[in-house]
Amino acid sequence: MESKTNPRHALGRLGEEVAARHLEQRGHEILARGARTAAGELDIVALANGTIVFVEVKTRRASALQRELAGEQGPLAGIDARKAARVRRAGAAWLSEHPARPRARSIRFDAIGVVIDGAGRVGALEHLEGAF
């Protein structure tokens, strides 16, 4: 029997699903989602044109008017230097923990911000390549 779902976790999973579909539509191959490493969790690991891409996804629920009134900069504002460093450490750990991974010419760290409106629809999506 499944316990009650934490609304924040459910929102985060929805945002990660939206982000993964976005990446696939752009030709990325999803290698892992919710990848746990010794250094932390990675939301999405993808392969795009010979580049392994580690993706941090931030999701918020708000209407455009609410965001505007609150003066918010969007979900990506939640990624600070400390968070970026954690994702970089987790990416390095993932690489060492997955020697059978596809070979890549380079790696990149992207950030995707997703805003979900009150009806559960995607209100906005921002994809920042090479975010950190």
Side-chain angles (χ1 to χ4, degrees):
M1 178 182 263
E2 189 173 307
S3 63
K4 291 183 180 180
T5 303
N6 179 324
R8 286 184 58 204
H9 290 149
L11 181 64
R13 282 192 303 275
L14 176 60
E16 288 172 16
E17 178 62 34
V18 168
R21 282 194 312 250
H22 165 77
L23 291 168
E24 287 173 332
Q25 289 170 350
R26 295 187 62 184
H28 292 56
E29 175 188 350
I30 304 300
L31 301 176
R33 289 179 53 186
R36 296 187 186 280
T37 73
E41 185 173 325
L42 294 161
D43 293 333
I44 299 173
V45 181
L47 182 65
N49 299 319
T51 299
I52 291 182
V53 183
F54 299 102
V55 183
E56 177 66 15
V57 180
K58 288 293 185 186
T59 309
R60 290 199 180 147
R61 182 180 302 276
S63 72
L65 179 59
Q66 287 171 326
R67 287 193 325 277
E68 212 172 293
L69 292 174
E72 288 187 23
Q73 300 169 3
L76 295 183
I79 302 176
D80 59 12
R82 193 168 130 190
K83 178 66 152 182
R86 186 203 58 81
V87 174
R88 284 193 296 271
R89 284 191 305 273
W94 188 88
L95 291 170
S96 68
E97 294 169 11
H98 293 84
R101 70 185 181 280
R103 294 293 162 216
R105 294 185 309 270
S106 60
I107 63 168
R108 187 177 77 217
F109 295 89
D110 288 6
I112 296 180
V114 180
V115 176
I116 304 295
D117 70 15
R121 297 179 303 243
V122 177
L125 184 142
E126 181 181 3
H127 181 179
L128 185 56
E129 291 185 4
F132 46 88

